[in-house]
Amino acid sequence: GQQVMQIPQYQHVQEGEDFTTYCNSSTTLSNIQWYKQRPGGHPVFLIQLVKSGEVKKQKRLTFQFGEAKKNSSLHITATQTTDVGTYFCAGAVYNQGGKLIFGQGTELSVKP
Amino acid sequence: NAGVTQTPKFQVLKTGQSMTLQCAQDMNHNSMYWYRQDPGMGLRLIYYSASEGTTDKGEVPNGYNVSRLNKREFSLRLESAAPSQTSVYFCASSELGPWNTEAFFGQGTRLTVV
């Protein structure tokens, strides 16, 4: 079945360092979404990518969707303590009626 | 705006007991989902419903049943709870078009089976 793999599982950085998490799907995706979950909270939507090769930016966050629509990445420039949390990618496949599969997540900790 | 409401927030069950987790959304979304979250495993899809009257299995459906009661409500039932079902359960909803729109999550239900 469809699988979405995400690495690394954990990342510890010093405040001001950059951070990247990678997402790979076993099947071609129709679109990919990214979510952030703060400790003790629920996932909150960040962004959606739909087009092959698409790049989107939100302030210090840069999201990319691969040309083959099977991989994606989230890059945070100059991390801040407010970036702490777990980042998830979630992929949907064409003709699967809205089935949304999440990666395992990358837990980011930021040391001040 | 309530968004997605899950009840209960916390529950402790004994092995073999049954219970139903309730979920309701007020955004008129077609698609609804149940996920479980375990440490290191991310969010795993249990069941989803693309529209009222339809349900489909996700990645880990064994031991669960669902009911899409109407467009607003999507419940998850554990018929005979097992310790392996100790987890945090999230309900979510989204709109479904050419591709999914953003999913809105409930606050979660923390379930412990002893």
Side-chain angles (χ1 to χ4, degrees), chain A residues 45-62:
Chain A
F45 177 82
L46 292 175
I47 207 162
Q48 174 164 265
L49 304 171
V50 174
K51 298 177 184 176
S52 169
E54 189 170 14
V55 178
K56 286 188 176 181
K57 294 190 177 183
Q58 287 181 349
K59 298 182 179 179
R60 295 178 294 103
L61 279 61
T62 301

Side-chain angles (χ1 to χ4, degrees), chain A residues 2-3 9-10 30-31 33 35 37 40-45 48 50 86 88 92-94 96-105, chain B residues 31 33 35 37 39-45 48-50 57-59 90 94 96 98-108 110:
Chain A
Q2 178 192 354
Q3 287 187 318
Q9 189 173 355
Y10 302 98
S30 61
N31 58 287
Q33 299 175 348
Y35 292 80
Q37 183 179 25
H42 60 278
V44 175
F45 177 82
Q48 174 164 265
V50 174
T86 301
F88 292 97
V93 177
Y94 291 109
Q96 288 204 9
K99 187 176 178 181
L100 192 63
I101 299 296
F102 279 74
Q104 297 93 328
Chain B
S31 297
Y33 313 83
Y35 292 90
Q37 184 171 32
M41 304 293 287
L43 290 152
R44 291 184 292 169
L45 182 63
Y48 68 107
S49 170
K57 294 179 180 179
E59 302 167 273
F90 286 102
S94 72
L96 183 64
W99 41 75
N100 304 62
T101 61
E102 67 176 280
F104 292 84
F105 283 79
Q107 298 296 316
R110 281 155 177 77

Side-chain angles (χ1 to χ4, degrees), chain B residues 74-92:
Chain B
F74 188 38
S75 62
L76 178 71
R77 182 160 179 84
L78 287 70
E79 290 291 351
S80 179
S84 60
Q85 294 179 304
T86 293
S87 187
V88 179
Y89 292 86
F90 286 102
C91 176

